[in-house]
Every structure is written in structure tokens, then in C-alpha cells.
Amino acid sequence: MFCGTCAQCITGHPNLCEDTSVKMLPGVARRMSWKGGEHMNQFLNLSSFGEQMLVHENSMVKIDPDIPLDVRPSWAAG
């Protein structure tokens, strides 16, 4: 997630976004918990897997339709 307007974003470093209105500071996010109620730590303010997710448009990356999605990259072969 990035704002697209801070100094880091406009210089091509959206991974270092400084705007805390679009992301939470490390250790602040407490949106997820395990079944027993224990806090689940998050990485990069997301860290979850799901078949469907609601995300901000700044978190999206368009995939070229010519890229085959059923091919596993060579580095992931196993």
C-alpha cells in the first residue's frame, strides 16, 4: 500500500511510503486474530491469504493478458 504523493512514492520507492494515513506503523495493526482470540502479527500491513480480498487501488498490479497464469516459474519448481 502506498499513497503515491509522499517523497518516497514520487521518487519511485513506494515500498518506503511515509504516509501513515494509508498504512499502519509496525506493531500497530491488530486487525486479525487466531480462533482462540490471540493476536496474529501482520507483515507489511496485510499478510493474509484468501481467494478474495478487498484492497486499495494503489495495491493493485495489472498483469498482461499474454502472461500465462498456469505456468510455474523455474525458480519455484519443486
Side-chain angles (χ1 to χ4, degrees):
M1 180 73 177
F2 62 95
C3 70
T5 59
C6 73
Q8 294 293 348
C9 287
I10 61 174
T11 58
H13 303 99
N15 59 312
L16 301 175
C17 179
E18 298 168 348
D19 187 345
T20 56
S21 69
V22 296
K23 66 179 184 176
M24 294 184 185
L25 294 173
V28 175
R30 300 221 174 256
R31 295 177 287 213
M32 297 189 296
S33 60
W34 297 101
K35 270 188 174 178
E38 184 180 346
H39 170 69
M40 180 186 296
N41 291 312
Q42 295 177 262
F43 178 70
L44 297 176
N45 292 304
L46 188 56
S47 286
S48 62
F49 294 96
E51 292 179 12
Q52 297 180 10
M53 296 178 76
L54 178 63
V55 297
H56 190 278
E57 64 184 331
N58 287 359
S59 297
M60 304 299 295
V61 176
K62 184 175 181 180
I63 299 175
D64 189 310
D66 295 332
I67 295 175
L69 300 178
D70 61 343
V71 178
R72 196 176 210 187
S74 60
W75 55 265

